[in-house]
Amino acid sequence: MTNATIEFFVQDSFWFKAVSSVENMAAILINAFVIFIYSGSKDLKSGSTNTLFASLAFVDMCTATCFLFKVAVQPLIKPNADIFGEVFCRVFYTTFLMWGLIMNSWLHIILITLDRFIAVVYPHYYKQYAHNKRVHAMLLMSSYVVLRTVKDLVVFFYTHGLLSKRIFI
C-alpha cells in the first residue's frame, strides 16, 4: 500500500470522522465562549491584545466550522447540477475558504506576538501604539493580505495547469 492509500483509509474511517467531529465541535464551543466573554465585558474591550484574542477566537471558530463541515457533513451531501450545486462545489469542495481562514489565524497569532513584543520591549510607546482603531486597521489589512495571497496562489496554479480548471472561477 502506498502512503496515499493509507491516508485515504485513515481519513475515510469512522473513528477519524468521529474524533475530528468531536474535536471541532469542542473548538467551536470554546471559541464561542471566548467571544461571549469578550462581548459581555467593557473592561476587556479596551485593550488591543484582548481585541486581537477575540478576533482570533472568531477566525478559529470559523476554521473549526469549515473542518467540521469538510469531515462530517460534506460526504453526506450530493450536490445537484443546478446553480446551487455549482456554487456548493466551487465554495465548499475546494479548500480555498479553509486555507484562507488558517492563514488568517496564523497572521492573528503573529499580530498578537508583535503586540506583546512592543508591550514588553517598548512599554513607553505601547500606549501610543495600542489603540483599538489601529488594531482594527491591522486586522483588516491582514485579512486582505491573506485573501490576496490565497487568490494569487490559486490563479498561479490554475494558469500553470496544476489545478483542475473545473472547480475554480
Side-chain angles (χ1 to χ4, degrees), residues 51-103:
T51 303
L52 288 169
F53 276 123
S55 179
L56 176 66
F58 178 74
V59 169
D60 286 347
M61 186 176 68
C62 293
T63 305
T65 305
C66 281
F67 274 121
L68 181 66
F69 183 80
K70 184 138 183 77
V71 170
V73 179
Q74 185 179 4
L76 303 175
I77 297 175
K78 302 294 182 209
N80 297 331
D82 59 355
I83 187 70
F84 297 112
E86 185 74 21
V87 170
F88 180 81
C89 285
R90 288 177 188 242
V91 173
F92 292 112
Y93 274 7
T94 61
T95 55
F96 174 79
L97 181 64
M98 185 177 63
W99 283 110
L101 288 169
I102 290 170
M103 288 176 63

Side-chain angles (χ1 to χ4, degrees), residues 105-121:
S105 179
W106 295 340
L107 208 50
H108 275 77
I109 292 170
I110 291 169
L111 290 175
I112 291 170
T113 304
L114 287 174
D115 183 66
R116 293 290 81 207
F117 174 78
I118 293 171
V120 171
V121 176

Side-chain angles (χ1 to χ4, degrees), residues 146-166:
V146 165
L147 291 175
R148 180 69 186 202
T149 303
V150 171
K151 183 199 75 80
D152 288 345
L153 286 173
V154 167
V155 168
F156 173 77
F157 287 130
Y158 175 74
T159 55
H160 292 294
L162 300 173
L163 294 174
S164 171
K165 295 181 181 182
R166 175 77 176 111

Side-chain angles (χ1 to χ4, degrees), residues 30-45:
I30 290 169
N31 285 312
F33 181 70
V34 169
I35 293 169
F36 175 74
I37 294 297
Y38 175 78
S39 63
S41 175
K42 290 183 181 179
D43 293 337
L44 292 177
K45 291 182 182 177

Side-chain angles (χ1 to χ4, degrees), residues 9-48:
F9 285 131
V10 169
Q11 289 182 353
D12 201 36
S13 71
F14 170 77
W15 291 109
F16 175 78
K17 290 179 182 179
V19 169
S20 294
S21 297
V22 169
E23 182 182 56
N24 287 317
M25 284 188 280
I28 291 169
L29 291 174
I30 290 169
N31 285 312
F33 181 70
V34 169
I35 293 169
F36 175 74
I37 294 297
Y38 175 78
S39 63
S41 175
K42 290 183 181 179
D43 293 337
L44 292 177
K45 291 182 182 177
S46 63
S48 63

